[in-house]
Amino acid sequence: MTNDMRVMGLALGLTVTILGLGISDARAQRAATGPPDWPCVQRLVPELAWGTIWTGQSPEALERSWWEDEEVGRVVRFATARKTPRDEALERVRGFVAQVANQPEAEREERLTLLFAGLFERVNRERSRVIERIRSASRGQVKRLDRLTELVDELEARRASSDTSADDIEQLRQELHWEQRTFEKRQQLLPVLCEKPALLEEELSRMVRAIRAEL
């Protein structure tokens, strides 16, 4: 295969990639509204509101913070740690709920509300970090796409010039090839990242349901 044929193949592959990105962006905009750097089909909700998942006592009315109850703090940190398997996190929450079930009503309600407040705060914070990672990745992809376009234009210009050596063209072709591979690999990861905020919400909801069962 000649260099010209390889260049044409790369240019065609790049065109297909750009077209695929455009289709993905259009689908996302139809399904959701959000800032330009939000690439997901899922609607962007920057932060959760505790009132949408909690019907008990207001965490804002508590006279102490969740970490001031040492046992609550241990449960919260274990259940929200990234390395903790989700089933084990849920079981730990259920275990604490069962443990306080026989305490006086006011104390039980306060401690379960503290537990919710801690879980909500930590999960919401992690969710916000994930969202920023997604938006940062999207901005990075836009920059890579711009760079790919520049490389294609430069490659075409060099091919049209009689002063460009075959080695120079090959070097630029290799740069284009690796830039395109990086772009495609990271593009494939975006849908996985986009699922993470919803997964965190679901994990929080499961734990909250276990708490509410005792209130």
Side-chain angles (χ1 to χ4, degrees), residues 27-132:
R27 185 181 298 119
Q29 290 175 6
R30 285 197 300 271
T33 58
D37 61 356
W38 181 247
C40 305
V41 174
Q42 297 87 344
R43 185 170 66 91
L44 173 61
V45 179
E47 292 187 355
L48 299 176
W50 64 264
T52 62
I53 57 176
W54 180 252
T55 57
Q57 178 184 356
S58 169
E60 298 169 1
L62 293 169
E63 296 182 357
R64 56 177 176 161
S65 299
W66 60 267
W67 60 82
E68 295 180 88
D69 185 313
E70 292 185 5
E71 192 169 9
V72 168
R74 285 194 294 270
V75 175
V76 167
R77 293 185 183 93
F78 176 84
T80 57
R82 295 179 187 177
K83 64 181 180 180
T84 301
R86 295 302 88 198
D87 289 343
E88 292 184 21
L90 183 59
E91 286 307 309
R92 183 70 174 269
V93 170
R94 285 173 172 165
F96 179 82
V97 170
Q99 178 183 325
V100 302
N102 295 323
Q103 292 179 351
E105 182 178 354
E107 181 179 355
R108 181 179 73 248
E109 183 176 1
E110 181 194 35
R111 298 192 77 195
L112 291 179
T113 304
L114 285 170
L115 177 60
F116 164 75
L119 295 172
F120 179 82
E121 178 183 316
R122 299 259 299 189
V123 171
N124 202 23
R125 186 188 308 157
E126 175 65 15
R127 184 179 174 279
S128 295
R129 281 196 290 260
V130 170
I131 287 174
E132 181 51 39

Side-chain angles (χ1 to χ4, degrees), residues 127-168:
R127 184 179 174 279
S128 295
R129 281 196 290 260
V130 170
I131 287 174
E132 181 51 39
R133 281 179 57 201
I134 294 170
R135 297 178 70 176
S136 177
S138 178
R139 293 191 293 269
Q141 285 297 83
V142 171
K143 291 180 181 178
R144 289 185 190 92
L145 195 56
D146 290 341
R147 177 58 179 158
L148 282 168
T149 302
E150 291 173 1
L151 287 171
V152 169
D153 291 343
E154 185 177 354
L155 188 56
E156 289 299 319
R158 290 194 183 187
R159 288 177 58 237
S161 174
S162 58
D163 297 332
T164 306
S165 68
D167 287 344
D168 287 341

